[in-house]
Amino acid sequence: MATLRTSVSVRSLLASCRGTERISFWTQARPRPCKAGIPCRQLSSEAESGSSEIKKPTFMDEEVQSILIKMTGLNLAKIFKPAIQELKPPTYKLMTQAQLEEATRQAIEAAKVQLKMPPVLEERTPINDVLAEDKILEGTETAKYVFTDISYSIPHRERFIVVREPSGTLRKASWEERDRMIQVYFPKEGRRTLTPVIFKEENLKTMYSQDRHVDVLNLCVAQFEPDSAEYIKIHHQTYEDTDKHGKYDLLRSTRHFGGMAWYFVNKKNIDGLLIDQIQRDLVDDASSLVRLYHILHPDGQSAREAKEQAAEGLHLIKVFAKTEAQKGAYIELTLQAYQETFITHSAAS
């Protein structure tokens, strides 16, 4: 984008531009107010469900969230792992059994807060609105002017931001321009005005090779809006790398595991994650994953047969392996090995 020259009120813009009678943005109805901290965008699948009689499940549905939270896990040692920070003397406390139980309960509650999943949204529609074409202004300036309404009472999604091009065109700012200007006037902690170089392709590959998938996703959540193209692209790219190398456990007991599972279920590509769960003795999570698959794809052969047979647990996984799984034989072998190991341990005990 060209050099930022100034930021003034929209009233000043109107006073300085010829032909302002053609600008009609003051009469446009504002979009409905947003809830605090949540963009005015439909959650994934909600837009599609609006035109259909049968409502397609969404990421924020109570049943879906319950399954995803259960699969995420609650490993306190991983959630509260040591972080790089200033060294301070350790603190020791002597507790009674009741105090220890209370401290553990508080730690679990704090862990649940940290595991709150970021929203999964559809990509926002590009902004291409031209407000006026003032040819008389063409060539008078060599840089773009960005006019930003910086009133504190206006939600960022409703904030009016326009750009005057050197050609004389007056248009609404694009999403990327809006994000930069809002960050200039209303800085958000952890976010930079310009995209950090860490998100370049070659740097992302380096991060993935160092198993720093969680760091990439945390930085992405801080830097981008959840319905931006960059946010969605980086999340999907990270999930794909996780699936390619079978590193699902890196995201387990983090706030990103649910989004990853949702992504694979929507793509009908849960085989790798399913095998990993069985191999890690997380059969309940594996059956929950298949159940979520059936919720999102109720018309599939696996969902129909599971319903007819009232399948649950291992039987449910076997039904999926025989019908829609891409690696059905591998899943069945993994299940067989799990059952043999379970029988051996039961006999030994």
Side-chain angles (χ1 to χ4, degrees):
M1 179 177 174
T3 307
L4 171 66
R5 296 294 299 272
T6 186
S7 177
V8 299
S9 69
V10 179
R11 292 185 182 277
S12 300
L13 166 65
L14 292 175
S16 62
C17 297
R18 291 196 61 204
T20 54
E21 66 277 5
R22 291 177 291 170
I23 303 177
S24 59
F25 50 80
W26 286 110
T27 63
Q28 291 178 350
R30 282 184 176 179
R32 62 178 179 81
C34 305
K35 295 182 179 178
I38 302 179
C40 287
R41 296 286 298 157
Q42 294 290 329
L43 291 175
S44 63
S45 304
E46 280 189 351
E48 298 174 6
S49 63
S51 59
S52 151
E53 293 183 1
I54 300 176
K55 182 177 180 293
K56 186 176 180 181
T58 65
F59 182 75
M60 294 305 297
D61 283 356
E62 184 177 351
E63 184 178 12
V64 171
Q65 283 289 302
S66 177
I67 294 174
L68 293 176
I69 290 172
K70 178 180 179 297
M71 287 194 297
T72 295
L74 192 67
N75 185 342
L76 296 180
K78 184 173 183 179
I79 296 171
F80 297 112
K81 67 180 180 180
I84 299 176
Q85 56 186 349
E86 181 183 354
L87 290 177
K88 295 180 180 180
T91 301
Y92 299 96
K93 294 182 180 180
L94 296 176
M95 295 183 175
T96 63
Q97 184 62 32
Q99 290 174 328
L100 178 60
E101 292 175 356
E102 175 62 19
T104 302
R105 186 192 66 78
Q106 292 178 0
I108 291 174
E109 292 301 318
K112 289 180 179 179
V113 172
Q114 292 196 28
L115 291 180
K116 184 178 180 181
M117 290 174 270
V120 175
L121 306 176
E122 290 188 351
E123 184 177 340
R124 55 197 181 187
T125 304
I127 300 176
N128 298 308
D129 295 349
V130 175
L131 303 177
E133 293 279 0
D134 296 308
K135 295 299 182 181
I136 193 172
L137 298 177
E138 185 175 1
T140 58
E141 293 290 343
T142 59
K144 300 177 185 178
Y145 281 83
V146 180
F147 300 87
T148 305
D149 185 346
I150 58 174
S151 305
Y152 283 98
S153 60
I154 301 177
H156 291 331
R157 284 289 169 136
E158 299 177 29
R159 194 172 299 283
F160 204 82
I161 304 176
V162 296
V163 178
R164 173 70 77 178
E165 298 278 358
S167 63
T169 299
L170 181 68
R171 61 173 175 80
K172 290 184 179 180
S174 66
W175 285 114
E176 292 73 19
E177 292 167 336
R178 291 181 61 86
D179 291 342
R180 288 200 297 272
M181 297 311 303
I182 289 172
Q183 179 63 16
V184 168
Y185 294 108
F186 306 93
K188 182 177 179 181
E189 185 178 358
R191 180 173 294 186
R192 299 183 182 180
T193 305
L194 299 179
T195 303
V197 295
I198 191 66
F199 294 114
K200 288 187 176 181
E201 192 72 24
E202 59 272 19
N203 295 332
L204 285 175
K205 290 181 179 179
T206 301
M207 294 287 283
Y208 295 151
S209 67
Q210 298 173 357
D211 293 345
R212 298 182 62 185
H213 298 65
V214 175
D215 292 334
V216 169
L217 294 176
N218 284 336
L219 290 171
C220 181
V221 170
Q223 180 65 32
F224 303 111
E225 291 298 312
D227 58 353
S228 67
E230 295 85 356
Y231 181 100
I232 296 172
K233 175 186 174 182
I234 292 170
H235 271 73
H236 290 179
Q237 185 175 340
T238 305
Y239 298 152
E240 291 291 349
D241 187 85
T242 302
D243 184 53
K244 180 180 178 180
H245 297 97
K247 297 180 178 180
Y248 310 101
D249 199 51
L250 291 175
L251 301 188
R252 192 168 279 114
S253 286
T254 73
R255 58 177 175 163
H256 307 292
F257 188 88
M260 179 186 69
W262 177 260
Y263 173 73
F264 291 144
V265 170
N266 271 279
K267 284 194 64 180
K268 294 188 175 182
N269 182 30
I270 65 172
D271 297 48
L273 179 56
L274 189 64
I275 292 169
D276 179 80
Q277 289 173 325
I278 298 171
Q279 291 175 337
R280 294 180 183 275
D281 197 14
L282 299 172
V283 177
D284 287 344
D285 289 351
S287 60
S288 295
L289 181 63
V290 175
R291 188 156 62 91
L292 180 62
Y293 183 94
H294 291 165
I295 291 174
L296 261 70
H297 309 291
D299 298 327
Q301 183 181 357
S302 178
R304 292 198 306 270
E305 292 195 14
K307 185 176 181 180
E308 291 172 0
Q309 302 175 26
E312 295 181 356
L314 292 177
H315 187 200
L316 183 66
I317 301 173
K318 290 179 180 178
V319 170
F320 172 76
K322 292 178 179 178
T323 52
E324 295 189 44
Q326 301 174 21
K327 302 177 181 177
Y330 196 0
I331 294 175
E332 290 180 346
L333 287 174
T334 307
L335 277 174
Q336 183 180 346
Y338 166 80
Q339 290 177 307
E340 291 175 355
T341 303
F342 180 79
I343 293 172
T344 302
H345 287 174
S346 299
S349 60

